[in-house]
Amino acid sequence: MNQIGIYSGMFDPLHNGHVWVIDEMYDIFDEVHVVIGPNPCKEPLFTINARLKMLDAVLGMPRLRIKTLILPDVNLAEYAKKLEGEVTVVRGIRNEADFAYEHRILTCMRARAPHIHYLYLIPPKEHLQLSSSFVKSLCEQEWWAAVEQVVPQEVYVQLGQQYKFTAND
C-alpha cells in the first residue's frame, strides 16, 4: 500500500525548519503532500499563491513523489480521506507548547478521520527555535544576516522585496 505523508501549514514564510521536515518525509514516505492552508487567526505576509510559488521553487518542483497544493478550506481530514493509500499527517514539534497545540489538533482530527496516522518530528537543534513568526520579527528588526541563515535563498529574496530590503542597503 502506498504510504502518503501530509505536511500542512501556512508556510508564511517558508523557513529551513519546514524544509527539514519535508526532506525527512521524503525519506520516509512514498508520496509527500505539502499542503498550504489559511489560518483564520493569522494575517499572512504573502498571498497563498506566492507561498506556493516559493515552496515549489525551493523544492525544485516538479519533483518525483512530492505534491504541493493549496487547501483553501482548512479541511485536512476530508482531503486525507480522499487519498488512496495509508495516510500519515506529519507535524514538526519544537517544544512543549508545540506538542500541546498539536495534540489538541490531533484529538480533533482523530474524531473526524480515525484511520489517519500521526507522526511528530523533532528537528535538530539548529532548527528548534525557528518559526515563521520569528523570521518575520528578524525582518522587522532588519537583521538580514540572520534572516539569510534561516530561510532558503528564494525566500530571502522575496522577504527582501516585501520589506523593501536589498543587499546594497
Side-chain angles (χ1 to χ4, degrees):
M1 180 176 274
N2 202 26
Q3 301 286 321
I4 302 169
I6 301 175
Y7 184 38
S8 66
M10 281 188 67
F11 306 107
D12 186 48
L14 179 72
H15 56 69
N16 293 341
H18 293 133
V19 176
W20 179 86
V21 171
I22 295 165
D23 287 343
E24 289 293 305
M25 291 175 66
Y26 197 76
D27 292 340
I28 297 170
F29 298 100
D30 299 320
E31 286 181 42
V32 174
H33 294 221
V34 183
V35 179
I36 301 173
N39 181 334
C41 299
K42 294 182 179 179
E43 184 66 33
L45 178 63
F46 293 104
T47 68
I48 201 162
N49 288 322
R51 286 179 270 151
L52 180 63
K53 187 175 178 180
M54 280 186 274
L55 183 63
D56 286 347
V58 169
L59 296 178
M61 299 302 284
R63 187 169 163 194
L64 289 177
R65 301 188 302 115
I66 293 184
K67 180 178 182 178
T68 58
L69 64 139
I70 295 170
L71 192 64
D73 65 0
V74 194
N75 199 335
L76 190 61
E78 291 303 315
Y79 172 75
K81 283 181 184 180
K82 295 176 185 176
L83 297 174
E84 293 185 23
E86 192 165 330
V87 177
T88 302
V89 172
V90 176
R91 303 301 298 159
I93 301 290
R94 298 165 299 181
N95 52 42
E96 295 86 2
D98 277 358
F99 178 79
Y101 175 79
E102 295 296 343
H103 185 70
R104 287 192 304 271
I105 291 174
L106 178 146
T107 302
C108 295
M109 288 276 293
R110 278 193 172 146
R112 297 185 72 188
H115 67 286
I116 296 173
H117 302 285
Y118 300 88
L119 176 66
Y120 296 145
L121 295 177
I122 300 171
K125 65 181 177 180
E126 63 266 23
H127 301 314
L128 278 176
Q129 301 305 315
L130 280 181
S131 69
S132 294
S133 297
F134 176 67
V135 172
K136 290 176 194 174
S137 72
L138 291 175
C139 292
E140 289 164 4
Q141 296 175 53
E142 299 181 357
W143 291 351
W144 294 104
V147 173
E148 192 170 22
Q149 298 300 310
V150 297
V151 299
Q153 186 61 35
E154 295 89 340
V155 176
Y156 179 73
V157 169
Q158 294 300 315
L159 285 167
Q161 291 174 359
Q162 189 75 18
Y163 285 93
K164 310 293 189 253
F165 166 81
T166 62
N168 299 328
D169 285 352

